């Protein structure tokens, strides 16, 4: 496939405006410069006319959530994600940001993408957030965000009660005859803050007949870096991961984090200019599947355990827009007996979490969260399911602040619980 | 009057408002405002009137003729924050909405009552009902159900001096001058529409959607002429040519045959036996004109998929070339095969890339010329070819615009269709509403009023 230059990608925008109503920042402001079409126009100005990027243009590009809702509806196939990531890289590489802010952003990303540091430095992070945050801090928000906000007790028991850390075993055998071997990444944020989701994923895969390998040498995939424009750092991480996974023996690489999955799938693009890695990176991308999509493709028996809950499904941006995965998670949820899946208005409108956006742009993120919370409450659901850790933590925070008892969980946790109940009924 | 967040002045933001979906002419505003009510909108207009500053209404900016481009700067009045449905009366088949309400939002809002809003431009998920009123927008289903003008019964209008008037009524038979009729299609030059009452249409009992595949554009256009001549009124009759088919295949893998030269999408509605007979007639007429196949959509999903293809059909062209100009000529349907062949000839003689996706049923052609505006020579050739295509449409007794408006794009082609006396009458209407010439100046009417920049 021939690669398009950023100028060519931007030129593909025919200004039809079909993306405007999908764009969260445009919905909130009605400002053309806060719309995909407007942002592309500003980028085009810089690309075609070779004009330097001024501070105001930078603000509009910075305000973009990177949710890629625009890309999913664009009839002209404009690869907006590539375009904005390229611009973000340029902003970083050309040092266009004030240095205190750049430093704080850097620290935040380093910490979030480094397991060891993340576990140890919640306090330091609140300080970083203070520098980036233009509005007064929301009490306790950041700490809760980072701990996954598990403040309420589960009405439906959730998988794994462990709240901090803990690696997955290097190998988990399939229950029964193995159908295939799956590699599961332990991730960065996931392993520290969402260890229970990782455990539920491994359990679920094993229950569905997959051997699960989890190479501990594999580190962060670089998603947060790539989305934030730290492309070199993302490339380093990508190369390391490609190397690490080549030693492992597996059929499919499965992720339960939408942000990681979309980045892994685009590894070929990220390392396209690296002769040694380009092909291997693309091959790794081609072997990557989101857990929901993988289970549907594999074709699994529905769980026999019942879960009598009303669930609303939230479409994480990097699942619905970047990977276009919307029906598999819903199909899996519907396969659970007793579970009622109710529609969620604006289910694919970004919740505002968007990587580190909720720290760098607290006001917009809070406005989107409020809108999400209102839609969730109106849906009548008692549980919200989603496929991305950032969204889960952020929506938990929003619901807690609204005084709601609605719980937010990963799709995988509900499935694992249904299988677990089925298994214990069979034993009893 | 307005909050700070309702007023934009930063030069980067102004850049974003310098054109709509038509990019050949540009004009940068000095200020953009986002009123949230009729009163706020009127207050802004009054201020402009007092200070002699030009102002231009803007919806989503999906216009294809530069209507929302502020040619002389001044204030762009964006109605995008006035986007609410105000009331629905299913029994009276009426809905009232703010002008910034997105077209498809209306149909979604009334779907529970088994109703819809009939004018369905391809841009319906994006464009506003105010923009539709201004452009008298139409869509595939216009063939049977009529254009925007047939579906708007009342308006709230901010006149160019800032006063507010209510035009029309909810009744089916209006009395007095038909000012709603005058406003529809006035392209934002007579005032700013802030609220609209539209007529709702009951969903058809039964629909049949046919896809006919042809090996030549000629055959397909002859089939269209024959269907119309046979007295059949499909609710939609759309044609797409091979460049569109292939772009759609690249984009969405629709499953259309890539070697087909033309597709006809024909939709018929009505009741049981009559509908079956008409469907059979259309199939036969297509077959008589060498259709390779004629298939009916077997399910609602399949039908939705065909319409999705049609509505994305213009947008997918961005995959083929960076810029496009969509022409909008209307011609007598009986001349379809001949005119299409001549347009092809024009494109070839100027070496421009051209494709066709259009409302064949009402003779509303949309030859799309695609190009790269960064290539100055190609741009020049495109402009020449465009002009020739317009002349051709007028020559065969048609019109230079069916639904996209005159705007700035076709302003200077108006004398092709109208005499100086005709244009003078239009100018008098314009100055009756807008004596100071501040409301969207430089649009529609060529000549003195267009050339002279306002004070
Ligand atoms: C891909 C694509 C497909 C299209 N398909 C069709 C089609 O099938 N049929 C069709 O008819 N058109 C079509 N169009 C053209 C366009 O969508 C329509 O003209 C639409 O009505 C414009 O609405 P808007 O809200 O975008 O208005 P804008 O583009 O913002 O404005 C259009 C004009 O209306 C004026 N205006 C806007 N709002 C108001 C108001 N409240 N009061 C007074 N004046 C106002 C503006 O000044 C301007 O002159 C298409 C466009 C695109 C990009
Ligand atoms: S939908 Fe695509 S082509 Fe249309 S304005 Fe948005 S980015 Fe541009
Ligand atoms: S990525 Fe999201 S926020 Fe950014 S322009 Fe696209 S839709 Fe808007």
């Amino acid at each position: 496939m021939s690669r398009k230059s950023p100028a060519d990608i931007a030129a593909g925008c025919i200004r039809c405006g079909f993306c405007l109503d999908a764009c969260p920042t445009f919905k909130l402001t009605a400002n053309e410069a806060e719309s995909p079409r407007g942002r592309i126009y500003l980028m085009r100005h810089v690309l075609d006319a070779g004009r330097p990027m001024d501070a105001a243009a930078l603000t509009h590009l910075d305000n973009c959530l990177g949710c890629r809702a625009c890309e999913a509806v664009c009839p002209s196939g404009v690869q907006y994600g590539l375009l904005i990531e390229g611009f973000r890289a340029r902003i970083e590489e050309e040092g266009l940001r004030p240095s205190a802010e750049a430093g704080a952003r850097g620290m935040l990303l380093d910490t979030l993408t480094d397991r060891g540091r993340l576990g140890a430095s919640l306090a330091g992070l609140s300080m970083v957030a203070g520098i980036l945050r233009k509005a007064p801090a929301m009490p306790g928000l950041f700490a809760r965000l980072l701990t996954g906000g598990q403040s309420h007790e589960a009405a439906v028991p959730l998988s794994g009660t462990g709240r901090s850390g803990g690696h997955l075993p290097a190998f988990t055998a399939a229950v029964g005859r193995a159908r295939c071997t799956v590699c599961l990444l332990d991730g960065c944020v996931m392993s520290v803050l969402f260890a229970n989701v990782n455990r539920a994923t491994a359990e679920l895969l094993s229950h569905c007949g997959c051997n699960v390998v989890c190479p501990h040498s594999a580190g962060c995939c670089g998603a947060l870096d790539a989305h934030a424009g730290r492309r070199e750092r993302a490339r380093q991480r990508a190369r390391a991961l490609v190397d690490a996974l080549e030693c492992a023996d597996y059929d499919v690489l499965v992720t339960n984090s939408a942000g990681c999955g979309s980045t892994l799938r685009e590894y070929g693009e990220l390392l396209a200019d690296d002769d040694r890695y380009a092909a291997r990176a693309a091959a790794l991308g081609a072997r990557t599947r989101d857990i929901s999509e993988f289970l549907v493709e594999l074709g699994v028996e529905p769980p026999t355990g019942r879960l009598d809950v009303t669930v609303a499904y939230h479409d994480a941006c990097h699942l619905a827009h970047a990977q276009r995965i919307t029906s598999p998670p819903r199909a899996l949820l519907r396969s659970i007996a007793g579970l009622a899946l109710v529609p969620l208005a604006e289910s694919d409108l970004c919740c505002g979490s968007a990587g580190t956006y909720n720290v760098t742009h607290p006001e917009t993120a809070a406005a989107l969260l409020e809108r999400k919370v209102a839609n969730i409450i109106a849906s009548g659901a008692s549980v919200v399911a989603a496929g991305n850790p950032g969204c889960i933590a952020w929506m938990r925070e929003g619901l807690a602040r609204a005084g709601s008892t609605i719980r937010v969980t990963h799709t995988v946790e509900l499935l694992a619980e249904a299988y677990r109940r089925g298994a214990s009924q069979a034993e009893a | 009057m307005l909050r700070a967040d309702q007023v934009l002045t930063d030069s980067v933001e102004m850049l974003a408002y310098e054109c709509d979906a038509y990019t050949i002419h540009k004009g940068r505003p000095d200020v953009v405002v986002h009123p949230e009510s009729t009163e706020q909108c009127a207050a802004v207009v009054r201020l402009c009137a007092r200070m002699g500053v030009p102002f231009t209404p803007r919806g989503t900016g999906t216009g294809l003729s530069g209507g929302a481009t502020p040619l002389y700067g001044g204030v762009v009045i964006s109605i995008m924050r006035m986007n609410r449905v105000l009331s629905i009366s299913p029994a009276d088949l009426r809905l009232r909405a703010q002008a910034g309400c997105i077209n498809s939002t209306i149909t979604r809002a009334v779907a529970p009552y088994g109703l819809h809003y009939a004018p369905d431009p391809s841009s319906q998920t994006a464009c506003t009902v105010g923009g539709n009123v201004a452009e008298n927008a139409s869509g595939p289903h216009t063939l049977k159900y009529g254009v925007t003008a047939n579906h708007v019964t009342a308006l709230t209008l901010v006149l160019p001096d800032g006063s507010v008037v209510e035009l029309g009524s909810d009744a089916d038979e209006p009395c007095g001058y038909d000012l709603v009729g005058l406003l529809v299609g006035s392209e934002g030059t007579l005032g700013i529409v802030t609220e609209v009452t539209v007529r709702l249409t009951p969903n058809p009992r039964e629909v049949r959607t046919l896809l006919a595949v042809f090996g030549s554009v000629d055959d397909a256009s002859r089939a269209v002429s024959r269907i119309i001549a046979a007295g059949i009124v499909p609710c939609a009759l759309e044609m797409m040519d091979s460049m569109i088919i292939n772009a759609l295949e690249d984009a969405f893998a629709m499953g259309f045959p890539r070697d087909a030269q033309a597709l006809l999408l024909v939709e018929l509605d009505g009741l049981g036996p009559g509908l079956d007979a008409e469907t059979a007639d259309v199939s036969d007429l297509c077959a008589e004109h060498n259709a390779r196949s004629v298939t009916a959509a077997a399910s609602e999903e399949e039908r939705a998929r065909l319409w999705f293809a049609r509505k994305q059909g213009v947008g997918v062209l961005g995959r083929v070339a960076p810029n496009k100009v969509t022409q909008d000529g209307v011609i007598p349907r009986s001349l379809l095969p001949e005119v299409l062949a001549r347009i092809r000839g024009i494109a070839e003689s100027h070496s421009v890339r051209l494709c066709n996706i259009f409302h064949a049923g009402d003779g509303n052609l949309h030859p799309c010329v695609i190009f790269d505006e960064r290539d100055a020579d190609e741009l020049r050739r495109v402009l020449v070819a465009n002009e020739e295509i317009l002349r051709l449409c007028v020559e065969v007794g048609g019109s230079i615009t069916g639904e996209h408006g005159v705007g700035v794009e076709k302003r200077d082609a108006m004398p092709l269709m109208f005499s100086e006396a005709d244009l003078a009458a239009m100018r008098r209407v314009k100055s009756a509403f807008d004596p100071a010439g501040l409301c969207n100046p430089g649009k529609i009417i060529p000549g003195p009023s267009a050339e002279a920049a306002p004070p």
Side-chain angles (χ1 to χ4, degrees), chain B residues 256-280:
Chain B
F256 296 146
R258 282 186 182 265
D259 60 339
Q261 292 303 307
L263 297 181
L264 283 186
L265 183 59
V266 192
E267 191 156 280
L268 300 150
D269 65 7
L271 277 178
L275 181 58
D276 289 336
E278 270 193 349
T279 309

Side-chain angles (χ1 to χ4, degrees), chain A residues 356-375:
Chain A
T356 54
Y357 192 91
N358 49 8
V359 181
T360 56
H361 293 75
E363 284 175 14
T364 307
L368 289 170
L369 182 59
E370 251 174 54
R371 191 160 167 152
K372 183 60 72 181
V373 164
N375 281 327

Side-chain angles (χ1 to χ4, degrees), chain A residues 99-161:
Chain A
S99 58
E101 195 191 327
R105 272 174 189 267
M107 251 173 86
L108 173 66
L109 282 170
D110 285 341
T111 311
L112 278 176
T113 51
D114 181 327
R115 269 194 281 237
R117 273 165 80 177
L118 180 52
S121 68
L122 294 182
L125 269 171
S126 316
M127 191 195 72
V128 174
I131 300 174
L132 290 170
R133 179 172 295 193
K134 285 136 203 160
M138 295 181 223
L141 162 76
F142 205 65
R144 254 184 288 164
L145 165 64
L146 288 174
T147 52
Q150 296 197 343
S151 42
H152 348 274
E153 274 324 303
V156 172
L158 290 181
S159 52
T161 49

Side-chain angles (χ1 to χ4, degrees), chain A residues 77-111:
Chain A
V78 175
Q79 295 159 296
Y80 180 87
L82 276 180
L83 209 52
I84 190 78
E85 276 183 16
F87 258 80
R88 292 201 159 144
R90 197 165 156 166
I91 293 169
E92 300 304 319
E93 283 152 18
E94 293 176 9
L96 296 172
R97 239 180 256 295
S99 58
E101 195 191 327
R105 272 174 189 267
M107 251 173 86
L108 173 66
L109 282 170
D110 285 341
T111 311

Side-chain angles (χ1 to χ4, degrees), chain A residues 160-307:
Chain A
T161 49
R163 289 188 185 175
S164 63
H167 277 304
L168 288 175
F171 181 80
T172 309
V175 172
R177 204 171 58 84
R179 300 169 72 184
C180 62
T181 300
V182 165
C183 175
L184 186 61
L185 287 184
D186 221 357
C188 43
V189 181
M190 288 303 285
S191 71
V192 179
L193 306 175
F194 289 88
N196 49 339
V197 176
N198 272 351
R199 279 195 288 271
T201 309
E203 184 190 331
L204 184 60
L205 284 165
S206 133
H207 192 95
C208 295
C210 306
N211 287 329
V212 182
V213 295
C214 180
H216 288 165
S217 56
C220 166
C221 67
L224 284 172
D225 286 311
H227 299 156
R230 299 207 310 176
R231 226 170 6 183
E232 264 327 303
R233 180 69 64 95
R235 287 192 182 119
Q236 282 167 17
R237 294 192 193 277
R239 287 189 199 99
L241 191 60
V242 169
D243 287 337
L245 293 187
E246 270 169 7
C247 310
D249 187 14
Y250 65 93
D251 303 307
V252 183
L253 175 63
V254 166
T255 76
N256 52 22
S257 155
C260 304
S262 77
T263 296
L264 288 163
R265 290 188 137 151
E266 286 161 10
Y267 262 15
E269 194 63 47
L270 183 66
L271 290 175
D273 293 329
D274 184 329
D275 291 343
R276 274 181 53 228
Y277 279 89
R280 293 150 67 199
L284 178 64
R287 268 167 106 176
T288 304
R289 292 286 181 278
D290 181 73
I291 176 74
S292 63
E293 169 192 33
F294 174 71
L295 290 177
V296 168
E297 278 174 14
L298 186 69
V300 295
E301 289 292 317
T304 48
R306 268 185 86 83
L307 283 185

Side-chain angles (χ1 to χ4, degrees), chain A residues 401-421:
Chain A
R401 282 166 62 82
S404 163
T405 56
I406 299 172
R407 293 183 317 102
V408 189
T409 180
H410 197 290
T411 313
V412 156
E413 292 185 282
L414 291 172
L415 274 170
E417 177 63 21
Y419 280 108
R420 202 176 300 131
R421 288 188 180 185

Side-chain angles (χ1 to χ4, degrees), chain B residues 162-186:
Chain B
S163 53
V164 177
V165 291
E166 303 290 336
L167 306 181
S169 74
D170 287 354
D172 272 317
E173 298 300 329
C175 49
Y177 289 132
D178 180 10
L179 294 183
V180 172
L182 177 59
L183 252 293
V184 176
S186 64

